[in-house]
Amino acid sequence: MEWTPRSWEGKPCTQQPIYSDGNALRRTLDEIAALPPLVTSYEIEALKSQLAEAARGERFILWGGDCAESFADCTSAAIASKLKILLQMSLVLVHGTRKRITRIGRFAGQYAKPRSAATEVRDGIELPSFRGDNVNRPEFTVEARTPDPQLLLRGYERSALTLNFIRSLVDGGFADLHHPENWDLSFVKHAPLAAEYQSMVDSIGESLRFMETLAGGTISAMQRVDFFTSHELLVLAYESALTRQVPRREGWFNLSTHLPWIGLRTSDPNAAHMEFCRGIRNPIGVKIGPETTAEQLLSTIRSLASVTNDGCEEGRVVLITRCGAHRIGRALPPLVRAVRDAQLPVVWIVDPMHGNTETVVPTSGAWAGMSVKTRKFGHILAEVEQSFEIHRMEGTVLAGVHVELTGEDVTECTGGARGLSDDDLSRAYRSQVDPRLNYEQALELAMLIARRAAGR
Ligand code: PEP
Ligand code: CO
């Protein structure tokens, strides 16, 4: 079948909002389609070549952010703190891995969420589930839960505002390696790992001064660090409105983000999300769970390669494995072997978050007796460690990590250097969706990855 930005409409499509006013939706989509793109094709191509380098072990990918962004969090403080934690983690990773790091944010468009049930029932009243800020509103009323096409436009604008601020901060020197003090978060001084972090900062500062003495000037490459954007590709009507052709380049680019990914719930190789991705030139992330079979995986990779090129372009297919610490040992090796033996060039990333979500019931504190969604730091770390080990055994490369984190001092995941317990969760639990690593846990994870990657 011939691919077009709307050929997905002929395929089974799940997880889509149902808009009651088709004309209003069309008008909004036409408006979005006429607006400038959020990213450019040359940025997308630069990311693709960095992903190819990471797949060869020459770089490491640090990919992180909130489970879902919210419109209310489009503030300077929230955006800056996300950049700060990613910058601090990448400094730690540079120090430990001696590799260049590519930073990808789950931001500037991570507004839509897949849901396991289409509706929610409260006190006998059934309403559509909340699907994220660019689809409907969280309050449990008919008006709030009715999908509103205008929110797609608001989401586009919030993405543009976020990106504009990120680009200005980066261009203005916020990410300059000479000034890591820009990235300090106020509570960091009390963190158990603050001293270890500071000694890495000092050692990188010394190396930088040494190199610059030799070079006889500042190394300008160190003054600019890029961020790429990503979000789960979910509302296909929105994504196709931002899918364009550009001068002097073949094919189509989804210019809503650099790196869209297909979630586990929409990854059927014969369905609409895969059909849409087949024809765009962006790198594509695909979530892989413990139930994915080698056969399905090979067919997914091959179908993603089919329109844009004959073989499979390096850096194009990004496999994000999220099996869970208890299942990865059995689930991942056969998948890795099948892809390796088929000689398909893919980028292997581990998401140690989504296979490790659990429900706990605190026994004391404000949430005693309630069910709370959390993740244990030990499980997250164990999945990362096993991923490194499995790829090492199979002769393949773990190119990076994909995590849900925040630069804030929240209590959503347990464990870590400060030993947060189930009873601590009520103290500062802010996520509306999945539990995120807090600032200290994120930095600790980076330190442990750096040690592991350095072979220590
Ligand atoms: C996510 O990344 O927030 C998500 C929903 O993941 P998955 O599709 O892997 O469950
Ligand atoms: Co999530």
Side-chain angles (χ1 to χ4, degrees):
M1 190 176 83
E2 197 200 338
W3 185 90
T4 72
R6 291 177 63 179
S7 56
W8 59 270
E9 290 174 354
K11 297 273 181 175
C13 189
T14 53
Q15 297 288 343
Q16 301 306 290
I18 298 165
Y19 293 98
S20 50
D21 183 349
N23 289 332
L25 174 65
R26 201 64 255 160
R27 276 196 305 278
T28 306
L29 294 173
D30 288 346
E31 190 174 344
I32 294 172
L35 289 166
L38 293 168
V39 301
T40 63
S41 61
Y42 50 85
E43 292 167 338
I44 290 172
E45 285 175 348
L47 173 60
K48 210 192 285 175
S49 70
Q50 293 188 18
L51 288 164
E53 287 173 19
R56 296 193 295 267
E58 297 158 12
R59 259 184 195 275
F60 196 75
I61 307 293
L62 172 62
W63 190 350
D66 296 301
C67 184
E69 289 178 283
S70 73
F71 288 179
D73 274 347
C74 185
T75 64
S76 61
I79 296 166
S81 80
K82 265 177 256 190
L83 296 193
K84 285 176 181 180
I85 182 60
L86 289 173
L87 283 163
Q88 292 200 348
M89 289 173 84
S90 61
L91 184 139
V92 167
L93 290 169
V94 166
H95 187 263
T97 62
R98 305 283 191 262
K99 285 181 188 171
R100 282 168 299 167
I101 308 294
T102 294
R103 281 152 299 269
I104 305 173
R106 283 176 66 113
F107 52 46
Q110 177 55 13
Y111 292 119
K113 294 307 294 174
R115 301 308 306 258
S116 36
T119 59
E120 186 184 339
V121 180
R122 284 192 207 169
D123 300 329
I125 300 172
E126 186 175 13
L127 292 177
S129 297
F130 173 57
R131 290 187 175 274
D133 278 0
N134 69 354
V135 173
N136 53 5
R137 299 174 177 86
E139 299 80 50
F140 196 74
T141 63
V142 178
E143 301 74 57
R145 290 296 175 89
T146 304
D148 175 358
Q150 277 293 309
L151 295 175
L152 294 174
L153 187 58
R154 296 285 93 80
Y156 164 90
E157 290 162 354
R158 288 290 201 279
S159 302
L161 295 171
T162 304
L163 257 171
N164 178 58
F165 188 48
I166 292 172
R167 293 196 210 274
S168 308
L169 280 174
V170 168
D171 284 343
F174 180 75
D176 186 342
L177 256 184
H178 296 85
H179 295 287
E181 69 278 7
N182 285 345
W183 320 332
D184 283 348
L185 291 141
S186 51
F187 43 86
V188 62
K189 290 176 195 72
H190 313 290
L193 297 164
E196 189 173 349
Y197 174 71
Q198 194 53 45
S199 86
M200 291 183 195
V201 170
D202 294 344
S203 128
I204 288 182
E206 255 165 55
S207 315
L208 212 54
R209 282 187 291 280
F210 175 69
M211 291 294 294
E212 290 179 341
T213 309
L214 286 182
T218 35
I219 301 168
S220 59
M222 298 299 164
Q223 290 169 298
R224 210 200 131 81
V225 177
D226 294 320
F227 283 88
F228 293 99
T229 64
S230 70
H231 63 247
E232 177 169 350
L233 181 114
L234 207 58
V235 183
L236 290 178
Y238 171 80
E239 303 293 341
S240 45
L242 280 158
T243 295
R244 319 260 168 99
Q245 285 178 300
V246 299
R248 291 178 296 283
R249 285 280 179 284
E250 260 183 60
W252 294 78
F253 291 84
N254 177 356
L255 300 176
S256 78
T257 189
H258 299 115
L259 173 48
W261 80 82
I262 303 181
L264 200 67
R265 292 169 190 75
T266 46
S267 63
D268 178 347
N270 301 310
H273 290 78
M274 207 61 81
E275 168 64 18
F276 174 75
C277 285
R278 188 168 75 87
I280 57 177
R281 310 264 355 223
N282 304 56
I284 309 290
V286 189
K287 293 283 196 106
I288 308 294
E291 319 279 346
T292 309
T293 66
E295 224 167 63
Q296 279 165 350
L297 182 55
L298 294 180
S299 121
T300 295
I301 300 169
R302 292 198 171 107
S303 75
L304 285 176
S306 67
V307 168
T308 44
N309 46 292
D310 302 328
C312 184
E313 192 184 1
E314 277 188 64
R316 153 109 174 134
V317 179
V318 182
L319 301 179
I320 311 162
T321 63
R322 31 87 85 227
C323 299
H326 302 296
R327 299 177 74 181
I328 182 176
R330 248 175 305 140
L332 186 60
L335 301 179
V336 169
R337 278 178 218 136
V339 176
R340 180 198 63 198
D341 295 346
Q343 296 188 323
L344 294 166
V346 301
V347 188
W348 290 104
I349 302 281
V350 60
D351 163 0
M353 312 300 290
H354 289 89
N356 291 312
T357 316
E358 61 184 289
T359 303
V360 297
V361 182
T363 52
S364 67
W367 285 0
M370 290 163 64
S371 296
V372 189
K373 203 163 148 186
T374 187
R375 291 164 175 156
K376 290 190 171 59
F377 186 82
H379 291 164
I380 294 168
L381 182 62
E383 184 160 0
V384 173
E385 296 234 313
Q386 290 180 74
S387 302
F388 271 111
E389 190 53 24
I390 290 166
H391 284 289
R392 192 187 65 77
M393 298 278 290
E394 302 300 337
T396 47
V397 173
L398 178 65
V401 287
H402 177 126
V403 282
E404 287 183 344
L405 53 77
T406 166
E408 291 162 59
D409 195 11
V410 299
T411 53
E412 298 171 5
C413 294
T414 56
R418 205 176 274 275
L420 287 183
S421 71
D422 294 352
D423 297 344
D424 291 322
L425 291 171
S426 63
R427 190 160 51 78
Y429 196 106
R430 298 205 198 106
S431 176
Q432 300 275 11
V433 268
D434 288 343
R436 303 159 296 176
L437 294 172
N438 65 22
Y439 161 77
E440 288 179 4
Q441 292 166 331
L443 198 60
E444 183 174 1
L445 182 67
M447 288 183 179
L448 297 165
I449 293 171
R451 271 182 221 146
R452 185 64 176 77
R456 273 177 270 143

